[in-house]
Amino acid sequence: MLSTYFLCLLVGLSAASDYAWKSGTEYQYQVRGRTLASLHQVDNQYAGVVLKAQFIVRPKGDGVLYGRLQDTQYAQVHAKLPGGWKSQIPESQLAYRPVQMSNKPFEIIMKNGTVQELIVDKAIPNWEANIIKSVISQIQVDVQGENMIKSRYNQPAERDSNSYSAEFKTMEDTVTGKCETLYDIDELPEYILQSEPQLAPLPHLKADGEFIDVVKTRNYSNCDERIVYHYGLHEMDDWEPASAAMGDFFLKSSVSRVILSGNMKRHTIQSSVTTNKIVLKPTPNAHQKGLVVSQMNVTLYKVNAVSDQPQKVSQPQTIGNLVYRYNSPYASSNEAREGSRNKHRQRRSADQYEQQQHKRQYRARYDDSSSSSSSSSSSDSIESGNQWQQDKPTMTSPPETPLLPYTVGYKGQSIKNAQNINIVQAVQKLAKQIGQELQEPSQMQQEDTLANKQQTQYVEEDNGQTLCFTVRPLPVCRSGCQASKKIVKNVEVHCVQKSNVSQLWKNQIEKGASPDFSLKPVTKSIKIKVAQSCHA
């Protein structure tokens, strides 16, 4: 009898440790994401990408979750959005293409609702691991204050009470960094769900509990890890690059809203939405600002009871916490690699941060030597001043710049690793063409090879009822130039019937955009005249 009692107690403790996850259950989430950029104070033109996928979670027990992303697709956006970045974009206007992900399972080690470690298959590339981290970041809900840091504002929930109200600060890792996070937890009135049912699509899972509204606000000025690429900001000594604010030149914020059903110790994650915003001036003296906004939405749509065991990770490789990792563009492989691990250690508290920030602002106003002072104090936000900065390149090793398309534009690696592009032949052809023009100096102003660009082209057939788009971009003349010489080429095309979507692609090309059809099936090959040289 006594042994039975202890067995039930151990099972109960094991179940309680999982918090949001019940063994023998499969949770299916819809993933919707978007990243858009705009000079929104000038025009409502936006450019960026949208993403959708399915996120499957199966708890193993003992704080271990098995996850998998499937049906991951993306589409490019280049359109006017009168309603701003939140505008609904009809699916019919988006040309979704599959993201070439492995769909391999991964393992998540949890503790009291927080992610302790992520384990992936050793064969997956680093860029895929970063996508996985961005999704897993949405299901980390530290309602019990596992990663709480000292702050005079902390009001955690009492563990033995039925209270649904709490407020405290933690040091929490997500794909954007490991930074101070303010938790604001309260009960969600049901009348709000009546007007916004998408917040909790499966309300019956509440059982005899309540709906809980968790709002997380990140402070990027107090971080253990802040991963960011910046250039040319070394003269701004009074501010840390990519902190929450750099005067009125740069503002960065991140807010998550998570809806739970149940209670503080046992609940289901119904939905989780994170919005990251960067508002900045194109130049320090500009009057109008631009906006880069990213939003990730993970919403539960199905819960199933399962009896079989989840698929395990075949070649397990731990990659540490959820913080983004840069690609290795010039390495022979770009596999996911281990980063920092979450562990308990002495951290700078929120109060210490506020005191340090006050001192820094004082120096910036009154101390002529603030340049050297702020550079030393900036290391307070990370353990060592420059450990997250890239090494200076040498003459034999180019910089691993994250934003250059020919550096990381081919599955996270340099163009040198692209299998379908012969760089030597392409450069030889371009050099030969430029050399031929140099032999006739009088024609150099008219024949401008460097005025060429690559762009997707289209051909109308069947009296405009069929549109055929080139699978690969073709050389065209830049705006203000005309083709002085054309050649006929056999070009592979993807053909579709005339529709709103195909008409949208056509309009984008006419405006200078270049939609990507490289993953579309080839319908046939046709002859097209292609510009070989251009003149003004």
Side-chain angles (χ1 to χ4, degrees), residues 117-368:
E117 194 172 355
L118 177 59
I119 300 173
V120 300
D121 192 289
K122 186 177 181 180
I124 75 166
N126 184 66
W127 62 265
E128 181 174 338
N130 284 329
I131 293 178
I132 292 172
K133 289 177 179 180
S134 69
V135 176
I136 297 178
S137 296
Q138 308 309 309
I139 64 170
Q140 181 163 233
V141 191
D142 188 8
V143 294
Q144 296 295 329
E146 175 70 20
N147 295 326
M148 189 186 305
I149 58 177
K150 291 182 180 180
S151 173
R152 61 181 178 272
Y153 301 110
N154 286 348
Q155 295 180 357
E158 297 181 8
R159 293 184 180 273
D160 297 329
S161 70
N162 294 322
S163 173
Y164 294 96
S165 180
E167 183 175 336
F168 53 86
K169 293 182 178 182
T170 70
M171 185 63 68
E172 184 171 289
D173 58 301
T174 67
V175 72
T176 58
K178 188 172 185 178
C179 300
E180 174 193 306
T181 302
L182 172 64
Y183 270 76
D184 189 353
I185 306 171
D186 213 338
E187 187 175 336
L188 180 69
E190 293 205 26
Y191 72 84
I192 294 181
L193 292 178
Q194 295 177 0
S195 59
E196 300 180 71
Q198 73 277 7
L199 295 177
L202 300 181
H204 64 278
L205 298 177
K206 180 188 73 169
D208 58 351
E210 301 294 339
F211 292 105
I212 306 171
D213 194 354
V214 181
V215 178
K216 303 192 292 183
T217 305
R218 291 168 192 83
N219 177 11
Y220 286 111
S221 292
N222 184 18
C223 298
D224 279 355
E225 294 183 55
R226 186 193 298 121
I227 306 299
V228 62
Y229 172 73
H230 63 89
Y231 178 80
L233 301 180
H234 58 281
E235 296 181 357
M236 293 186 172
D237 296 312
D238 298 332
W239 312 102
E240 295 179 15
S243 56
M246 298 174 64
D248 62 349
F249 166 70
F250 180 98
L251 301 172
K252 183 179 181 181
S253 65
S254 177
V255 178
S256 298
R257 187 183 188 187
V258 187
I259 305 301
L260 311 176
S261 59
N263 55 56
M264 298 287 275
K265 294 182 179 179
R266 189 69 186 174
H267 47 256
T268 301
I269 300 175
Q270 295 271 351
S271 65
S272 178
V273 182
T274 297
T275 304
N276 293 288
K277 287 184 181 180
I278 294 176
V279 179
L280 74 164
K281 294 180 178 180
T283 61
N285 297 323
H287 297 289
Q288 294 171 314
K289 298 179 180 179
L291 171 72
V292 179
V293 59
S294 296
Q295 186 176 80
M296 181 66 76
N297 184 329
V298 174
T299 301
L300 184 67
Y301 73 93
K302 186 183 294 185
V303 175
N304 295 324
V306 292
S307 58
D308 59 324
Q309 293 296 317
Q311 183 181 356
K312 295 184 178 180
V313 181
S314 58
Q315 303 179 74
Q317 165 70 47
T318 179
I319 56 174
N321 62 18
L322 299 179
V323 177
Y324 180 93
R325 293 284 170 262
Y326 288 120
N327 293 295
S328 299
Y330 301 110
S332 58
S333 65
N334 189 31
E335 295 175 351
R337 58 195 182 279
E338 184 175 0
S340 300
R341 298 193 183 193
N342 287 326
K343 56 183 178 180
H344 290 287
R345 54 181 175 79
Q346 186 176 3
R347 299 188 184 97
R348 178 176 60 161
S349 69
D351 293 339
Q352 289 173 326
Y353 160 73
E354 291 170 1
Q355 295 170 5
Q356 185 67 44
Q357 190 74 354
H358 176 75
K359 292 178 181 178
R360 182 176 303 161
Q361 291 173 354
Y362 181 88
R363 281 197 303 267
R365 293 178 183 175
Y366 302 110
D367 191 351
D368 292 337

Side-chain angles (χ1 to χ4, degrees), residues 25-45:
T25 306
E26 181 179 84
Y27 300 83
Q28 299 184 23
Y29 289 86
Q30 287 183 339
V31 179
R32 296 291 185 272
R34 61 172 58 187
T35 297
L36 299 172
S38 173
L39 290 173
H40 64 297
Q41 294 184 351
V42 178
D43 193 14
N44 56 13
Q45 185 78 29

